[in-house]
Amino acid sequence: GMRADALAARFPRVALFDLDGTLLDSAPDMVATANRMLGARGRAPVDAPMLRQRVSKGARALVAAAFPELDAAGHDALVPEFLQVYREELGRHSALFEGVAAMLAALEADAARWGVVTNKFEYLARDAVAGLGWDGRCQVLVGGDTCAEKKPHPLPLLEAARRLGVEPGDCVYVGDDERDMVAGRAAGMASIAVTWGYRLEGEDPRTWQADAIVDHPRQLLDPAAWPTPPSNPSSGARV
């Protein structure tokens, strides 16, 4: 009955997520983009696992991996082409990680709000969110160029909380890269590191000082798996 429900564990009131490597397996779109660019130059396709590891590092890092013979200026020159081709491939090959849809539905069923804070350019992130049918479900979207700074700076996370009208300490941030944990800590949010995303060899989530480490989205169906947001300083709690 009602009493049992009232005692049940609840999700945090606001869950904020990184996008690529956390909610969305977007690497196949990026591999397709690199292969179109290579094919246009008569070159062999990219090594997909090698490129996949680098997805969280951004467009420039992917260009550098696909065209290792070019210098920094050569990589910079190819980034606009990469973004143009990627916008055409976006959503054609990517898919939600298994269990993500159920996790988001569980948050919504508990009247929790969720949103996305990503270093992806905002226009590309909006394309992705719309393509997933998340318009109206995703309550806030902050991209890498929305604010004057991007992660690991805390500003995008603080902006997401501001737009939702909540304190940063009421939010939990979920991501697959160390910069996500750095940003969450600096913003005063509890953080969850997920291990199903994109990591280089030797990158160890256990060293990222996350509040929790999760190996599969289905674990996040349990509210108890979510760290308790840091207590609000205004509540009188003092460490």
Side-chain angles (χ1 to χ4, degrees):
M2 203 164 146
R3 182 177 152 77
D5 292 346
L7 293 175
R10 299 199 65 190
F11 292 103
R13 294 301 81 209
V14 174
L16 298 173
F17 297 93
D18 174 52
L19 185 59
D20 302 306
T22 300
L23 297 177
L24 186 64
D25 184 5
S26 50
D29 291 344
M30 300 189 197
V31 170
T33 299
N35 285 342
R36 268 181 62 182
M37 292 175 69
L38 288 162
R41 291 161 175 84
R43 303 269 298 275
V46 75
D47 178 63
M50 177 275 294
L51 201 74
R52 185 181 177 84
Q53 288 184 329
R54 290 165 170 78
V55 165
S56 287
K57 309 297 183 227
R60 198 181 175 288
L62 296 174
V63 167
F67 296 91
E69 77 286 356
L70 297 180
D71 63 5
H75 295 150
D76 288 340
L78 287 180
V79 166
E81 180 185 345
F82 184 92
L83 293 172
Q84 186 181 347
V85 175
Y86 174 63
R87 193 173 196 183
E88 296 172 10
E89 297 295 336
L90 193 150
R92 289 185 182 170
H93 321 273
S94 58
L96 296 183
F97 286 103
E98 181 199 359
V100 163
M103 174 194 66
L104 295 176
L107 287 166
E108 292 168 346
D110 193 39
R113 290 185 289 169
W114 64 270
V116 169
V117 181
T118 173
N119 276 3
K120 208 183 195 72
F121 284 119
E122 186 179 328
Y123 77 97
L124 291 170
R126 290 202 177 280
D127 284 356
V129 164
L132 291 163
W134 285 349
D135 287 339
R137 294 182 63 193
C138 177
Q139 299 288 302
V140 66
L141 173 64
V142 178
D145 57 340
T146 305
C147 302
E149 303 281 353
K150 61 184 180 180
K151 301 176 298 183
H153 198 284
L155 188 60
L157 288 170
L158 296 172
E159 175 63 13
R162 187 191 69 77
R163 290 184 183 186
L164 290 173
V166 298
E167 293 296 321
D170 294 329
C171 307
V172 176
Y173 188 52
V174 185
D176 69 310
D177 192 90
E178 184 171 19
R179 81 165 73 85
D180 300 324
M181 306 305 112
V182 172
R185 222 168 23 252
M189 297 183 184
S191 60
I192 298 176
V194 306
T195 63
W196 59 79
Y198 309 125
R199 289 195 311 283
L200 295 171
E201 294 291 330
E203 288 185 316
D204 181 2
R206 289 170 299 187
T207 68
W208 295 351
Q209 299 175 50
D211 294 292
I213 300 177
V214 174
D215 296 321
H216 194 283
R218 79 170 74 86
Q219 292 172 249
L220 293 177
L221 289 170
D222 178 4
W226 292 72
T228 312
S231 60
N232 215 324
S234 59
S235 68
R238 289 282 180 273
V239 178

